[in-house]
Amino acid sequence: MKNQKLIEALNNCVAHCNHCADACLDEDMVKMMVDCIRTDRDCAEICSATVKLLAMDSAFAKAMVEICHKVCVKCADECKGHDHQHCKDCAEACRKCADACEAYLA
């Protein structure tokens, strides 16, 4: 499939963001995790939509990848600010996804 590497990175990011958002809800200081949860949810939705547009070879795919890159960088920055393992794992997945977006856009 065309753009398979990017699609795999996007799907991995979706999975990690959804897991991180859910795991954040179980943290004792959940109020401190609100920005992380919201950013995770935004990132998962945007990455998911980007996968669909890439799979359809949409004329809007490139524009979505540009937005996706920005959101992945923001999510990685947010998650790396927390000590929880799920946040660290999510930050790594988002960083890899941002890198894959950059490669696509190059």
Side-chain angles (χ1 to χ4, degrees):
M1 179 187 283
K2 189 177 175 186
N3 302 314
Q4 186 64 34
K5 194 169 185 175
L6 176 55
I7 289 171
E8 287 173 8
L10 288 161
N11 282 327
N12 186 52
C13 191
V14 169
H16 277 87
C17 286
N18 283 327
H19 172 73
C20 185
D22 185 63
C24 284
L25 292 171
D26 289 332
E27 295 299 337
D28 292 335
M29 303 292 286
V30 74
K31 198 88 164 133
M32 286 179 47
M33 305 307 292
V34 170
D35 288 342
C36 188
I37 295 165
R38 287 188 175 134
T39 306
D40 284 340
R41 290 174 59 204
D42 285 347
C43 192
E45 288 299 320
I46 289 169
C47 287
S48 182
T50 303
V51 167
K52 292 173 189 170
L53 292 176
L54 284 166
M56 296 183 322
D57 201 22
S58 169
F60 298 100
K62 183 179 179 195
M64 273 303 277
V65 172
E66 289 171 354
I67 293 167
C68 192
H69 175 264
K70 290 176 187 169
V71 174
C72 286
V73 168
K74 180 168 176 37
C75 195
D77 288 346
E78 174 64 35
C79 285
K80 76 179 180 187
H82 301 283
D83 292 331
H84 313 294
Q85 190 60 48
H86 56 84
C87 289
K88 291 178 184 177
D89 293 344
C90 188
E92 183 179 341
C94 289
R95 174 56 49 210
K96 287 180 181 175
C97 192
D99 292 346
C101 288
E102 278 184 28
Y104 172 88
L105 294 168

